[in-house]
Amino acid sequence: MDINAVITGDLVKSRRIHEGDIDSVINSLKGTFNEINEQVLGGKGKFEIFRGDSFQGLFPQPELALLVSIIIRAKLRTFEPSMSLTGKNDKEKPILYAYSDARISIGIGEVSYNGKTVAESQGNAFERSGHALDKMKNGHARLAVVTPWEQVNKELEIECQLADVIISRWTSTTAEAMYHHFLYDKTQQELADQFNITQPAARKRLVVYGNVESIHAFINRYNDIIKSNL
């Protein structure tokens, strides 16, 4: 059987999100899934939201699962109370807080049954992703990867912890820049034009506050290590 990726996630402290904002967050998440499917996965992905604050995705390109997960978390961290996409405030300094975020676990493995929907599908990729998410609920981790290869798991566990420290410090403005950079491959100048800021300000969001070079290094390493084991 072919190796697939399953991502399973849930919104962190979703009850903290204001009742008037939760629809905006969920609808934006649905739109993000569509954009990811078009821009990153070539239309090969399937995504679903269930229980109101949980989601799952399935796609046949396991090497792209980390990029997909980071884009989702970046999108969620763009939100603040009673606003849609941010850009309306000038708080730039990293903080260990976000109005919305998610735990996301990536399971790499076989899909023994690929149903019409993600919920109907089965396989050890689902089991790995689901079990990893359950473990994360007992701690503070918000990113995990489980593969069929033990040595790979040991390396990725450490790298996920380091990446999580970076991502968990993204403010809404930083997250918005990272989202457009990773999803649409936008340059610093393109981001500056989009957000009506200077190029040095865009660089600060990506490089200084976003640590984009470290995130790129992790994504590239993940891509290489998964491909080499397929």
Side-chain angles (χ1 to χ4, degrees):
M1 294 183 183
D2 293 333
I3 299 294
N4 289 259
V6 170
I7 63 168
T8 307
D10 61 5
L11 299 183
V12 177
K13 298 180 180 179
S14 59
R15 294 179 182 177
R16 185 180 65 192
I17 302 174
H18 299 168
E19 184 176 349
D21 295 333
I22 190 66
D23 285 345
S24 294
V25 173
I26 295 300
N27 288 333
S28 181
L29 190 58
K30 292 178 181 178
T32 299
F33 293 155
N34 291 335
E35 286 296 294
I36 288 172
N37 206 15
E38 179 180 340
Q39 298 290 330
V40 180
L41 300 175
K44 297 179 180 179
K46 293 189 290 187
F47 294 89
E48 292 177 10
I49 295 176
F50 57 95
R51 293 202 304 266
D53 63 354
S54 300
F55 56 88
Q56 199 160 48
L58 167 65
F59 41 94
Q61 306 110 304
E63 70 277 8
L64 297 177
L66 180 62
L67 173 61
V68 168
S69 299
I70 289 173
I71 290 172
I72 292 171
R73 286 193 62 191
K75 180 63 173 184
L76 287 170
R77 292 184 68 89
T78 66
F79 282 90
E80 288 192 350
S82 300
M83 62 174 64
S84 53
L85 284 180
T86 55
K88 301 178 182 179
N89 65 61
D90 57 1
K91 291 186 292 185
E92 293 278 9
K93 293 184 179 179
I95 51 175
L96 296 175
Y97 169 84
Y99 187 50
S100 62
D101 200 348
R103 301 180 193 90
I104 300 180
S105 61
I106 300 168
I108 305 299
E110 297 176 349
V111 174
S112 56
Y113 176 69
N114 195 338
K116 291 184 179 180
T117 66
V118 179
E120 293 175 351
S121 303
Q122 299 177 3
N124 57 32
F126 286 92
E127 295 168 5
R128 291 184 177 114
S129 181
H131 291 162
L133 187 67
D134 288 341
K135 287 183 179 180
M136 291 166 70
K137 292 178 181 179
N138 298 322
H140 300 289
R142 295 185 181 179
L143 183 64
V145 183
V146 183
T147 76
W149 314 292
E150 189 58 35
Q151 281 301 118
V152 171
N153 292 339
K154 290 179 179 179
E155 175 182 334
L156 292 178
E157 181 179 6
I158 297 171
E159 291 167 352
C160 280
Q161 290 174 5
L162 295 173
D164 202 18
V165 171
I166 294 173
I167 296 170
S168 294
R169 292 179 62 85
W170 289 350
T171 62
S172 56
T173 50
T174 297
E176 189 175 17
M178 300 295 277
Y179 170 78
H180 287 278
H181 173 72
F182 282 112
L183 181 58
Y184 301 111
D185 197 27
K186 289 200 171 183
T187 65
Q188 293 176 19
Q189 188 57 58
E190 288 171 333
L191 291 172
D193 294 341
Q194 178 177 350
F195 301 138
N196 195 27
I197 58 177
T198 65
Q199 184 272 329
R203 180 186 182 278
K204 184 178 290 186
R205 293 186 186 186
L206 286 179
V207 179
V208 179
Y209 297 145
N211 282 280
V212 68
E213 293 170 351
S214 297
I215 297 298
H216 267 300
F218 181 29
I219 290 172
N220 291 338
R221 174 58 181 163
Y222 170 87
N223 188 297
D224 290 344
I225 199 171
I226 295 300
K227 283 184 173 180
S228 68
N229 280 276
L230 293 178

